[in-house]
Amino acid sequence: MRRKRKGMGQNLRKGLALLCLGGMLLAFTGCRNQEKERQELRLQGITQLEAGDYEGAVSSFEEALMKTSNGLVGEFELDILKYRAEAEYGAGDYEAAAYTYEILLQADGEDTEYRTRACLLSAMAGQADKAKELYKKMYELQPDSPDTARALLLLGQLLTEQDRFGEAMELYEQAVNGGIKNGEIYNRMGLCQLEAGDYDKALEYLKQGIQTGDAQAMESLLRNQAAVYEKKLDFAGALSVLEQYAAAYGATPEIQKEIDFLKTR
């Protein structure tokens, strides 16, 4: 009887060992299959992205992320999130793309590129408060960066469109007082004051913008300066500026018509 019990025990242990081994093999096979599915979905999403099927790409990348078993964000997940953000942007879902870049910002460290994109996309999505929060951090870290100036211009435009002139002016003034000599920022400051009805202040900022010598902003600065002079009913001042504009950039039919009109005033 003792031998029989011993043989039964050995058989039981062997059976349990085989069962455990089988479970491990099934788990390994399952993980391997899951990894294969994730990679296939990734490649499918990339193909859709390159073909312009942005919504399809987003779905594929989402499904690939769902295949993550441990819930952690690793290299694979970071890679998928970057592709997903690109697809969301292509689909015109700026709010979703901004959110994805915020996830990347949290998961992949303090990357200025993620913050810049999240800020710009938040502004494009009309989320002024979110964009403003991200911009403030950008300005704190890189006040003189071209990306920071770019984000300021987009955010300032959004704030102006939402009739939040004071907030826009506060950010613009912070930038120029901090040493940013950007003609377009002065141009936007002038437009803010023009919208607010303070024509003298608008002219002051536009003139400061012209003094920066910023060639990219000069054309817009001159046209807006002429517009402010007209608002002030200073037709001679408007004519002088438009003639200067025409000499530098040529007279379009619209500009020539305005010059001819001002000559009669």
Side-chain angles (χ1 to χ4, degrees), residues 9-255:
Q10 287 175 340
N11 290 336
L12 180 59
R13 285 194 294 272
K14 287 179 181 179
L16 288 171
L18 288 171
L19 182 61
C20 290
L21 179 60
M24 290 173 65
L25 288 172
L26 285 171
F28 176 75
T29 302
C31 289
R32 186 172 60 184
N33 289 339
Q34 186 180 58
E35 179 61 24
K36 181 181 178 182
E37 289 175 5
R38 292 201 311 168
Q39 294 296 340
E40 288 175 348
L41 285 166
R42 175 183 178 276
L43 291 175
Q44 176 178 297
I46 293 173
T47 300
Q48 291 168 317
L49 178 62
E50 291 175 345
D53 180 9
Y54 302 116
E55 293 182 359
V58 170
S59 296
S60 295
F61 294 136
E62 284 285 354
E63 194 173 348
L65 288 171
M66 292 295 289
K67 297 291 182 182
T68 300
S69 59
N70 56 16
L72 300 177
V73 179
E75 290 300 319
F76 178 84
E77 288 74 25
L78 290 173
D79 180 65
I80 291 295
L81 285 168
K82 291 173 187 178
Y83 277 120
R84 189 182 78 177
E86 187 178 345
E88 288 165 338
Y89 173 78
D93 194 344
Y94 303 135
E95 183 176 349
Y99 176 71
T100 298
Y101 279 118
E102 286 190 82
I103 294 175
L104 284 164
L105 182 63
Q106 295 172 8
D108 200 21
E110 291 291 306
D111 191 301
T112 56
E113 181 181 354
Y114 296 148
R115 182 176 286 103
T116 297
R117 294 187 180 188
C119 180
L120 292 171
L121 287 162
S122 293
M124 292 169 68
Q127 297 179 300
D129 292 331
K130 172 60 69 175
K132 187 176 178 181
E133 176 187 339
L134 290 162
Y135 167 78
K136 284 184 175 180
K137 188 64 176 180
M138 288 177 66
Y139 184 82
E140 177 186 330
L141 296 173
Q142 294 182 303
D144 56 352
S145 165
D147 284 336
T148 302
R150 181 183 170 202
L152 171 58
L153 292 173
L154 195 57
L155 172 58
Q157 180 180 343
L158 176 61
L159 290 170
T160 301
E161 290 171 355
Q162 294 181 354
D163 295 332
R164 297 163 68 172
F165 303 110
E167 291 177 68
M169 284 299 299
E170 182 180 350
L171 295 177
Y172 289 143
E173 287 173 349
Q174 178 190 46
V176 297
N177 290 337
I180 295 180
K181 300 301 180 183
N182 185 309
E184 184 57 32
I185 291 177
Y186 282 111
N187 188 42
R188 297 294 182 82
M189 294 172 79
L191 289 175
C192 270
Q193 296 303 318
L194 175 61
E195 290 288 338
D198 190 337
Y199 302 142
D200 290 333
K201 199 69 175 177
L203 277 178
E204 180 182 332
Y205 285 125
L206 292 169
K207 288 177 179 178
Q208 288 182 58
I210 291 170
Q211 289 170 2
T212 66
D214 188 337
Q216 290 185 329
M218 193 63 65
E219 186 174 353
S220 184
L221 283 162
L222 289 172
R223 291 191 66 162
N224 289 330
Q225 187 182 39
V228 175
Y229 275 125
E230 281 203 61
K231 287 286 187 180
K232 287 171 58 69
L233 303 181
D234 184 348
F235 301 117
L239 176 60
S240 175
V241 172
L242 280 183
E243 286 179 334
Q244 181 184 347
Y245 174 93
Y249 304 104
T252 64
E254 178 188 0
I255 293 294

